[in-house]
Amino acid sequence: MMNILGIGLDDVRFIGIHGMAGVGKTTLAKVIYDRISHQFEASSFIACIREETRNRGLVSLQKQLLSKIFMERTINIWDDREGMNMIRNRLCYKKVFLVLVDVEIEEHLTTLAGSHDWFGPRSRIILTSRDNHLLKRHGVNDIYRVSELNNDEALQLFSLAAFKKPYPRENYVDLSKGFVKYAQGLPLALKVLGSSLFGRGTNAWKGAWDQLKANPNKEILDILQVGFDGLEDLQKKLFLDIACFFNGELLDNILMDILESFGYYPYLNIDILMERSLITISSKKLMMHDLLQKMGQEIIYDESPEEPGRHSRLWHYKDVLHVLKNNTGTDVIEGIVLNLPNQNEERFHVRTFSKMKKLRILKIRNTSFVNISFSNLYHKLLNLHWHSGDPLRFMPTHRLRVLEWSEYPSKSLSNSFQPDNLIELRFPCSHIKQLWKGIKSFGSLKRFDLSGSQNLLETPNFTGVPSLETLDLEGCTSLSKVHKSIGVLKRLR
């Protein structure tokens, strides 16, 4: 940052400090302000601009800026336009150091630091924001991105808060490392967690850890949620889908097509989420900080704290099993990911999906399902389970875009299963022998994965699958016939 500021050079420089909420943007700005503000004719540090604007308005902030610089108690400004003229006219000949913290919208910048010619030579203006694009639009000279702390730095900061020294006490080392790992290098979380544990015994620390796993710290999540609250509705929905379903997924063309099919306009809105420090792309994968993911998931929990069947998205295996076993699914549910920590056989109602009219995403991994129907009371009392043919036969398919079912239990797909809008179909290690007879319409399907399906005898007629780009038949050891229609798949890569 000191190099970027270029203290001593004659130009006027706008410098941005960018990063996710709680990463230390304000702290960095304060340290720099304390270190170099004395080198300028006039200086002003304005914190919490977003909050101050909502509470007191922009004119109040303009008065604060001028009052601090000119050491005048009373600054008469009637509206923000007059304030802009006064700032420009009175500062354009001064060497000024100005720090504006937490700028959120264009108006914050245009009314407080409109352009370079508002300030005299050698002036430096630091702007902190979660929105990288806002800084670029305003013509900043350089943007410094504040990164999360590494493990050693994180342990040191946590220890300063928890023990008032830069290393943990002897009996607390392993416990401290657990909290540090949870915080994932976010200074806000490290300070909040460390401070809450100061002076407490090991039993209290263990209790705090158990509570944290069950209920994330509200103070941390509330600060992180500020960035989410500033999004438009489509961007919020995309963020929640990533938090619940796509964190860590490869961002390839097919995933972009899936997100496009949800109406998210991902080529624009993924950029916006990145610019606002809510996601990153690393090694071509969509990535989200663990605490941002927890924040997004808490938003879903708050939709219905008592009944997960009224959540729009289900990803925790206990919630999913509750809904499937008790048949409490509703038409609110848009996506389900079930990934059990250990391989299990689970039982569920054969019509369990029938109420989920808005289902867009279904992923079932690491489990085997037995379909049961309790229509016959005698069978129910004897605990005899009727095994149905295809668990997908009652599933609403109009909105379904992604279907993944590991070890899919049926030998074929039901004739009633007509997912015209399905883009990705994955049946790894399934029990399927023959998918369907004749021609079945999968007009939007682009990825088809049957890998490891050792019972598969032949591929189906692909005439009704014209958009297919990827077909995976690896490990289909019984496969003896490939239908000649594979030759019509012009998009197969």
Side-chain angles (χ1 to χ4, degrees), residues 7 28 171-172 200 208 226 267 274 279 286 392 424 440 443:
I7 302 299
L28 177 59
N171 295 336
Y172 292 79
R200 303 191 190 280
V226 171
Y267 290 97
M274 291 176 63
I279 62 171
L286 270 178
L392 298 178
E424 181 174 64
K440 197 173 183 68

Side-chain angles (χ1 to χ4, degrees), residues 81-208:
R81 178 62 58 181
E82 182 184 5
M84 291 165 63
N85 290 332
M86 189 177 293
I87 293 170
R88 179 172 55 242
N89 293 335
R90 297 189 67 176
L91 298 185
C92 63
Y93 300 108
K94 281 187 173 292
K95 178 185 175 183
V96 175
F97 184 38
L98 175 62
V99 178
L100 304 179
V101 173
D102 197 18
V103 294
E104 188 178 59
I105 58 175
E106 195 80 38
E107 193 178 19
H108 292 161
L109 297 174
T110 57
T111 54
L112 295 171
S115 63
H116 288 63
D117 60 9
W118 283 26
F119 308 96
R122 300 191 179 187
S123 291
R124 296 294 181 265
I125 292 82
I126 290 179
L127 314 168
T128 81
S129 178
R130 291 184 304 272
D131 189 342
N132 189 41
H133 193 244
L134 172 62
L135 297 174
K136 289 180 178 178
R137 292 200 311 270
H138 198 64
V140 299
N141 299 83
D142 285 287
I143 299 175
Y144 178 80
R145 185 183 185 280
V146 185
S147 300
E148 296 89 325
L149 302 179
N150 64 36
N151 286 337
D152 291 338
E153 295 166 340
L155 183 60
Q156 184 177 353
L157 180 59
F158 176 83
S159 299
L160 286 168
F163 306 106
K164 306 303 180 186
K165 54 185 180 181
Y167 50 87
R169 287 167 52 185
E170 184 176 352
N171 295 336
Y172 292 79
V173 174
D174 289 339
L175 287 166
S176 296
K177 288 181 178 179
F179 284 102
V180 167
K181 184 177 180 181
Y182 176 89
Q184 291 290 299
L186 190 68
L188 164 73
L190 292 161
K191 288 190 285 187
V192 168
L193 295 174
S195 298
S196 70
L197 295 166
F198 175 76
R200 303 191 190 280
T202 54
N203 287 335
W205 276 55
K206 292 173 183 176

Side-chain angles (χ1 to χ4, degrees), residues 358-375:
K358 297 179 182 177
L359 194 65
R360 299 179 285 119
I361 300 167
L362 177 63
K363 296 185 178 185
I364 295 176
R365 301 164 175 161
N366 202 33
T367 187
S368 299
F369 272 108
V370 178
N371 296 334
I372 57 176
S373 170
F374 293 124
S375 58

Side-chain angles (χ1 to χ4, degrees), residues 179 182 204-218:
F179 284 102
Y182 176 89
W205 276 55
K206 292 173 183 176
W209 176 248
D210 291 338
Q211 178 176 302
L212 191 63
K213 288 190 291 184
N215 300 292
N217 184 281
K218 191 174 187 303

Side-chain angles (χ1 to χ4, degrees), residues 21-22 130 188 192 218-227:
R130 291 184 304 272
L188 164 73
V192 168
K218 191 174 187 303
E219 181 181 353
I220 297 170
L221 297 190
D222 284 349
I223 293 174
L224 294 178
Q225 191 170 335
V226 171

Side-chain angles (χ1 to χ4, degrees), residues 7-35:
I7 302 299
L9 299 178
D10 289 337
D11 60 344
V12 176
R13 292 195 181 187
F14 279 55
I15 306 299
I17 298 180
H18 168 245
M20 68 180 287
V23 79
K25 301 183 295 297
T26 302
T27 301
L28 177 59
K30 282 180 178 177
V31 169
I32 293 170
Y33 185 82
D34 292 342
R35 182 177 296 183

